Amino acid sequence: MTKITFVKHDDEEIVVDAENGTSVMNAAVDNLVPGIDADCGGECACATCHVYIDEAWFPKVGNTNDAEEAIMSLNPDRQETSRLCCQIPVTDEMEGLKVRLPEFQF
Amino acid sequence: MSVARDQFNTMFGRDPYSIPLDEYDMNQPELFQSDTQDAYFTRLRKEAPVHYCKDSEHGPYWSVTRYKDIMEVESNPEIYSSEPSIALADPEPDFDISMFIAMDEPKHGDQRKTVQDIVAPSSLASLEPVIRERIAGILDTLPVNETFNWVDKVSIELTGQMLATLFDFPFEQRRKLTYWSDVATAIPEPGGLVETREQGRDILLNECLPAFVELWNQRVNEPPKGDLISMLAHGKETRDMNPMEFMGNLVLLIVGGNDTTRNSLSGGVKFLNENPDQYAKLMADPSLIPTMVPEIIRYQTPLTLMRRTATQDTVLGGQNIKKGDKVAIWFLSGNRDEEVIDRPNEFIIDRARPRQHLSFGFGIHRCMGNRLAEMQLRVTWEEILKRFEKVELVGKPERAYSVLVRGFTEMPVQLRPKAK
């Protein structure tokens, strides 16, 4: 299990235990984290699991892939550290990962 | 029905398993008007999930009917282009309107971004009280214990008011928006809303376009504000649109905000009446409305399909698709795919993952107004439940003659007021 912190737009923190091998999105949905709807079920096709990665963590979560880039580029509220969290696998290295939940998804 | 259409009406009323698969052509409004399409799609999903129709009213095309294959198409827009059209029919040279739903990147994204703020969460939050007030206004004037057409008095009225609000269109003329939307999607037929294709084109060019050009000219000289016309008139990517592009994007936004919500508003009444256990569950627990709404949208699937066009030779589900081939992705069939959706043929208002459906499409063209649509439906049902014990279906609903738009024209109901 790996601890991941979701920070709501009002700064409330939700800490969840995520199962390795799943995705950060799964960890959010399984723990009823609000603001992560993940309509498409993790296919990188709906952009409803948008998160802002904590800056210190951003280089460690891997690169944005092409499909993710295409769909995120349509969002005017996209930021430098935006990711679709269905595309971020949970591993031991993610222990302590912190992501912010964008207000536009609430 | 026209003679031209008659020769392609080859499926209606026939046993799905008696028709050879290579004669299958799902582009048949008769099937959808009679709501008999499901059995044919079930067979296609099982036996020919990526199916080639060698000839139809609009020429040859592929039908993609499984959820996962549809997702694959939607996730690869560079292979499956939205140009030149998202309808099976190709654009006519004398009416080649252009809309961002039928554009590829980068233009699609540029134009979409111009208008999508209107459905951003902050806009929706400020729209909600307006919508609630309008819905309340409509519901409070309805007759009780008396038969009326829900489609006209509620579904059309509500979406018409909503469109007029979004466009800041003269409110008293709002039914024009409904009318133009209907014209834009009407299949020409004698006695129909439009009798010929040219008639439909002329209505849009000579009535709809000038009305909006006038609004455009007014808004372009005013400071930018939050309605769609003002957004288009001031947007960097849209302010220099030519008339056919303006026309196209208007049609897109009008149709997009009209048929879909309208028919889901009607569909919900039908589904709840056909499933009294679900209606009882809803009455006992109105907090189920937010999960019921996406289930209504899945079950209704207000737009049955989108067309894509292959930009290169490719393989899908083991079938060789050639560059230039038309590919129909059937959302309605994907939404009944038993491999992905549990008990897909049942209407269940408290599903675990109700938003797992294809009605909004997926990928970069995913419905821009999805959360607005859900909000309108949610608020409508909240207000209905406050007032009425039941919206009772008292006759047989009539369906639209269309392949693309899965909708209703008549829904006779009576309202049962709540005991005070």
Side-chain angles (χ1 to χ4, degrees):
Chain A
M1 286 296 202
T2 300
K3 281 214 184 319
I4 297 177
T5 304
F6 294 90
V7 186
K8 284 170 63 183
H9 60 94
D10 58 7
D11 291 330
E12 185 195 331
E13 296 197 352
I14 304 164
V15 184
V16 308
D17 284 317
E19 199 176 324
N20 286 2
T22 65
S23 72
V24 174
M25 177 279 283
N26 293 128
V29 170
D30 293 347
N31 291 282
L32 304 176
V33 173
I36 300 288
D37 288 333
D39 294 0
C40 76
E43 301 286 340
C44 198
C46 70
T48 58
C49 68
H50 196 129
V51 295
Y52 303 140
I53 309 287
D54 183 85
E55 275 188 25
W57 273 97
F58 188 65
K60 301 179 204 165
V61 296
N63 294 325
T64 309
N65 62 49
D66 288 349
E68 204 182 337
E69 183 58 42
I71 195 164
M72 276 199 304
S73 71
L74 296 172
N75 190 331
D77 292 316
R78 188 223 176 129
Q79 296 183 2
E80 293 263 311
T81 65
S82 281
R83 289 293 306 271
L84 299 181
C85 65
C86 69
Q87 300 301 301
I88 305 175
V90 177
T91 61
D92 284 340
E93 286 70 47
M94 298 289 160
E95 177 69 30
L97 172 67
K98 199 178 242 195
V99 305
R100 294 190 72 87
L101 302 165
E103 186 172 8
F104 67 78
Q105 243 162 215
F106 281 84
Chain B
M1 194 184 309
S2 64
V3 179
R5 179 57 227 156
D6 253 352
Q7 64 170 315
F8 290 106
N9 179 13
T10 54
M11 309 265 288
F12 173 66
R14 296 175 66 192
D15 172 2
Y17 289 86
S18 74
I19 305 173
L21 276 172
D22 67 357
E23 288 176 22
Y24 258 56
D25 168 16
M26 290 307 291
N27 178 55
Q28 312 232 354
E30 297 77 9
L31 291 182
F32 296 90
Q33 188 175 35
S34 58
D35 197 28
T36 52
Q37 71 289 326
D38 285 354
Y40 304 86
F41 279 131
T42 301
R43 183 169 178 212
L44 283 179
R45 281 196 306 277
K46 285 201 180 104
E47 298 178 26
V50 178
H51 169 269
Y52 190 65
C53 169
K54 58 188 185 299
D55 191 28
S56 80
E57 192 176 0
H58 305 302
Y61 68 95
W62 295 90
S63 278
V64 181
T65 47
R66 281 187 185 165
Y67 194 104
K68 287 185 172 155
D69 291 331
I70 294 169
M71 191 80 98
E72 183 175 338
V73 170
E74 288 283 65
S75 302
N76 290 286
E78 66 296 336
I79 299 177
Y80 300 99
S81 167
S82 292
E83 298 178 6
S85 174
I86 47 114
L88 280 173
D90 281 319
E92 300 286 344
D94 61 350
F95 191 51
D96 191 3
I97 60 174
S98 163
M99 50 183 90
F100 67 79
I101 195 174
M103 289 176 193
D104 292 333
E105 296 316 305
K107 212 170 171 189
H108 156 261
D110 291 341
Q111 293 202 356
R112 175 175 167 137
K113 276 182 232 172
T114 304
V115 289
Q116 72 181 8
D117 268 356
I118 201 161
V119 288
S122 54
S123 313
L124 295 186
S126 51
L127 268 174
E128 183 168 331
V130 179
I131 293 178
R132 190 177 296 280
E133 197 189 313
R134 300 225 153 126
I135 289 170
I138 293 170
L139 295 178
D140 285 339
T141 57
L142 295 173
V144 291
N145 297 323
E146 198 179 292
T147 303
F148 68 90
N149 180 9
W150 181 265
V151 173
D152 184 63
K153 284 228 177 336
V154 180
S155 306
I156 292 180
E157 184 53 31
L158 179 57
T159 37
Q161 291 195 12
M162 203 53 240
L163 280 174
T165 305
L166 293 178
F167 284 101
D168 195 11
F169 188 85
F171 201 65
E172 65 287 359
Q173 294 179 36
R174 60 190 179 275
R175 286 276 170 145
K176 284 187 180 173
L177 296 169
T178 310
Y179 173 63
W180 293 327
S181 170
D182 289 345
V183 167
T185 56
I187 297 177
E189 54 167 342
L193 184 66
V194 297
E195 303 215 330
T196 62
R197 193 188 59 75
E198 291 73 18
Q199 189 195 354
R201 175 199 66 195
D202 291 346
I203 290 169
L204 293 176
L205 283 179
N206 302 334
E207 295 177 24
C208 176
L209 186 60
F212 277 102
V213 166
E214 197 185 320
L215 291 177
W216 172 291
N217 289 336
Q218 193 186 85
R219 308 275 151 87
V220 81
N221 294 314
E222 294 169 359
K225 52 192 189 80
D227 68 86
L228 284 166
I229 305 293
S230 181
M231 284 177 164
L232 290 170
H234 291 277
K236 184 163 72 72
E237 303 294 343
T238 49
R239 66 188 174 209
D240 297 323
M241 284 189 296
N242 65 45
M244 285 297 104
E245 234 172 71
F246 182 45
M247 183 77 235
N249 282 320
L250 288 173
V251 168
L252 167 61
L253 295 167
I254 297 173
V255 174
N258 182 44
D259 278 322
T260 51
T261 316
R262 179 210 299 184
N263 290 318
S264 299
L265 281 166
S266 302
V269 169
K270 177 172 186 284
F271 309 148
L272 285 169
N273 274 271
E274 287 171 346
N275 297 275
D277 58 322
Q278 301 296 313
Y279 210 153
K281 200 154 61 176
L282 174 69
M283 294 307 289
D285 183 4
S287 76
L288 292 175
I289 292 174
T291 56
M292 173 180 79
V293 163
E295 174 69 350
I296 289 174
I297 295 169
R298 177 190 75 89
Y299 211 65
Q300 176 64 26
T301 317
L303 296 178
T304 58
L305 86 152
M306 288 281 152
R307 165 206 162 176
R308 303 291 181 242
T309 305
T311 59
Q312 60 190 71
D313 291 357
T314 190
V315 178
L316 181 69
Q319 300 294 314
N320 292 308
I321 293 175
K322 295 267 176 266
K323 180 178 176 176
D325 283 358
K326 295 180 180 183
V327 178
I329 42 177
W330 292 98
F331 300 145
L332 180 59
S333 172
N335 278 341
R336 298 287 185 276
D337 187 342
E338 38 291 280
E339 279 187 25
V340 175
I341 293 169
D342 183 40
R343 292 183 288 162
N345 296 312
E346 293 175 40
F347 176 71
I348 303 170
I349 66 170
D350 51 357
R351 283 183 180 274
R353 294 210 50 221
R355 277 179 171 157
Q356 185 183 36
H357 64 69
L358 292 168
S359 298
F360 293 128
F362 267 120
I364 59 171
H365 288 282
R366 186 155 197 255
C367 175
M368 190 180 90
N370 56 354
R371 296 298 191 243
L372 171 62
E374 289 183 349
M375 188 252 278
Q376 290 185 73
L377 289 169
R378 172 174 59 74
V379 172
T380 303
W381 280 102
E382 285 168 2
E383 295 301 313
I384 290 172
L385 258 54
K386 280 183 201 164
R387 290 167 175 76
F388 307 114
E389 194 58 40
K390 191 166 187 196
V391 182
E392 192 174 329
L393 192 60
V394 294
K396 195 176 170 298
E398 298 288 332
R399 286 175 176 276
Y401 181 75
S402 174
V403 173
L404 174 67
V405 178
R406 188 159 183 257
F408 300 96
T409 53
E410 292 278 338
M411 178 90 51
V413 301
Q414 287 195 12
L415 297 175
R416 307 292 173 226
K418 265 194 157 165
K420 290 211 168 124

